């Protein structure tokens, strides 16, 4: 099994030295997506209709804030289109990491019910080794593997176990979807129970869970704590997100926080009046600075942490 070389990211354009990423990253985003199960077309980022708006935003963020990397966590059953991701990376000059895995149970594809953990692991490893959908484009992360509720369902547990085994086999890291922030500790128990080290795991949507004790426990065990829905005010205010992040930093776990906006429908795009991918940089980080964060902390949260999560190593070690 060929693992990525040390200190190397696997992007849609090929391998990239982590040390060459000099600007910030968005640790959990969607550039192409289709979660429309109700037929209203809202939970969609279409590779044709919305591509121009997505690309324009990323170009602006590269020019204004130095955006250098997007971790794109659209996986199987979520409308993944890696060729569209490759086009976006070419046109924006922003590196993009693609993902593989299965989302939480309502969005599982038929093979999840039909296959066991080992067979699902083989599907993931094959995509990681050979590329996605005949494109030759290889995923650089497992994600966003999902569950909902305090404990994963049987099907979700099967998917999480397969993801952990595929991560171990290929040397990739794994990012989860914890619906509304719940169930993160159970996810971590399951993943580490398969032998996956906690420092190769990011537990998602923790800014939707107002429980600093859970955040501290996840970080103390070595996992990354994703504050990745920044700007989604209908779920949680940024005031609360800022309080929760500061609590984690003050508890000594700044090196385990990841930040992003999780743009997951076209209504969130700036062209449609939404907060856009840049809300983190234009609004939230200035508020974090006003609360006392210096340049080094901002760089840790937005660049060094995501690079360390993806590679399992400090970028300075390269």
């Amino acid at each position: 099994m060929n693992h990525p070389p040390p200190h190397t990211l696997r992007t849609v354009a090929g391998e990239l030295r982590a040390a060459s990423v000099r600007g910030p990253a968005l640790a959990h985003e969607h550039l192409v997506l289709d979660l429309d199960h109700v037929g209203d077309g809202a939970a969609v980022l279409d590779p044709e209709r919305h591509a121009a708006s997505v690309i324009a935003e990323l170009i602006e963020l590269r020019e204004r804030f130095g955006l250098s990397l997007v971790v794109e966590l659209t996986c199987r059953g979520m409308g993944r289109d890696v060729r569209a991701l490759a086009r976006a990376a070419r046109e924006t000059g922003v590196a993009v990491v693609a993902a593989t895995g299965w989302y939480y149970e309502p969005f599982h594809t038929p093979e999840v019910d039909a296959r066991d953990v080992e067979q699902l692991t083989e599907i993931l490893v094959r995509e990681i080794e050979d590329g996605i959908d005949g494109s030759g484009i290889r995923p650089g992360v497992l994600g966003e593997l999902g569950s909902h509720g305090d404990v994963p369902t049987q099907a979700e547990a099967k998917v999480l176990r397969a993801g952990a085994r595929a991560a171990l086999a290929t040397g990739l890291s794994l990012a989860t979807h914890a619906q509304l922030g719940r169930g993160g500790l159970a996810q971590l128990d399951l993943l580490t129970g398969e032998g996956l080290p906690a420092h190769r795991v990011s537990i998602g949507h923790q800014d939707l869970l107002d429980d600093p004790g859970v955040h501290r426990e996840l970080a103390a065990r070595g996992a990354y704590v994703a504050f990745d829905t920044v700007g989604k005010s209908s779920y949680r205010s940024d005031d609360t997100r800022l309080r929760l992040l500061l609590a984690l930093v003050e508890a000594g776990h700044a090196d385990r926080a990841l930040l992003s906006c999780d743009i997951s429908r076209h209504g969130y795009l700036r062209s449609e009046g939404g907060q856009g991918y840049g809300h983190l940089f234009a609004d939230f980080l200035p508020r974090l600075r006003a609360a006392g964060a210096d340049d080094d902390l901002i760089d840790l949260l937005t660049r060094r942490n995501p690079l360390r999560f993806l590679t399992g190593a400090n970028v300075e070690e390269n």
Side-chain angles (χ1 to χ4, degrees), residues 9-14 29 31 69-76 80-86 89 95-101 127-128 131-132 135 137-144 172-173 310:
L9 310 174
R10 186 173 285 164
T11 78
V12 295
E29 291 301 339
L31 307 181
L69 176 70
V70 172
V71 183
E72 213 278 2
L73 292 180
T74 305
C75 60
R76 301 172 69 88
R80 183 181 59 180
D81 185 336
V82 293
R83 291 177 176 87
L85 299 186
V96 177
V97 172
T100 189
E127 284 200 332
I128 294 165
I132 297 168
S135 66
I137 296 170
R138 302 165 70 192
V141 68
L142 277 297
E144 58 177 302
L172 298 187
S173 294
L310 289 170

Side-chain angles (χ1 to χ4, degrees), residues 102 108-115:
W102 289 274
H108 283 177
T109 48
E111 70 261 24
V112 174
D113 284 336
R115 292 172 169 82

Side-chain angles (χ1 to χ4, degrees), residues 55-75:
I55 286 168
E57 286 199 33
L58 297 187
I59 290 173
E60 181 184 0
L61 295 179
R62 177 176 56 78
E63 293 174 348
R64 285 186 64 194
F65 302 105
L67 178 67
S68 297
L69 176 70
V70 172
V71 183
E72 213 278 2
L73 292 180
T74 305
C75 60

Side-chain angles (χ1 to χ4, degrees), residues 28 103-104 144-152 176-188 202-216 218 224-229 232 235-236 241 244 262:
H28 180 141
Y103 197 33
Y104 73 112
E144 58 177 302
L145 286 97
S147 70
H148 65 295
D150 293 327
V151 179
T176 78
H177 164 91
Q179 182 79 352
L180 300 179
R182 295 172 59 196
L185 290 170
Q187 289 182 342
L188 187 60
S202 166
I203 301 297
H205 310 324
Q206 291 307 289
D207 51 334
L208 301 181
L209 182 72
D210 192 350
D211 192 335
V214 168
H215 300 158
R216 288 194 302 271
L218 290 168
Y224 289 86
V225 183
F227 291 76
D228 53 16
T229 67
K232 288 188 170 182
Y235 290 94
R236 182 76 69 184
R241 289 187 178 90
L244 293 170
D262 188 24

Side-chain angles (χ1 to χ4, degrees), residues 121-300:
T121 303
E122 290 172 6
I123 290 172
L124 298 179
V125 170
R126 193 177 311 122
E127 284 200 332
I128 294 165
E129 293 298 311
D130 299 336
I132 297 168
D133 298 333
S135 66
I137 296 170
R138 302 165 70 192
V141 68
L142 277 297
E144 58 177 302
L145 286 97
S147 70
H148 65 295
D150 293 327
V151 179
T153 67
Q154 184 175 355
E156 290 166 348
K158 184 163 62 168
V159 162
L160 286 162
R161 292 185 193 282
R165 295 181 189 184
L168 280 168
T170 61
L172 298 187
S173 294
L174 186 153
T176 78
H177 164 91
Q179 182 79 352
L180 300 179
R182 295 172 59 196
L185 290 170
Q187 289 182 342
L188 187 60
D189 286 342
L190 192 154
L191 295 168
T192 56
E194 290 292 326
L196 186 62
H199 74 277
R200 303 310 299 268
V201 175
S202 166
I203 301 297
H205 310 324
Q206 291 307 289
D207 51 334
L208 301 181
L209 182 72
D210 192 350
D211 192 335
V214 168
H215 300 158
R216 288 194 302 271
E217 183 173 349
L218 290 168
R221 291 175 58 181
Y224 289 86
V225 183
F227 291 76
D228 53 16
T229 67
V230 175
K232 288 188 170 182
S233 57
S234 62
Y235 290 94
R236 182 76 69 184
S237 74
D238 277 355
D239 288 341
T240 300
R241 289 187 178 90
L242 183 61
R243 171 173 56 79
L244 293 170
L245 178 60
L246 289 171
L248 190 65
V249 169
E250 289 163 5
H253 298 300
D255 62 343
R256 284 296 176 267
L258 299 174
L259 302 178
S260 210
C261 297
D262 188 24
I263 299 303
S264 55
R265 53 183 57 212
H266 59 85
Y268 290 139
L269 297 173
R270 285 185 60 198
S271 61
E272 300 194 17
Q275 69 271 32
Y277 299 97
H279 179 85
L280 174 67
F281 305 112
D283 188 272
F284 190 77
L285 291 182
R287 296 178 65 186
L288 183 59
R289 288 183 185 277
D294 60 14
D295 289 346
D296 184 70
L297 178 58
I298 298 295
D299 183 69
L300 178 69

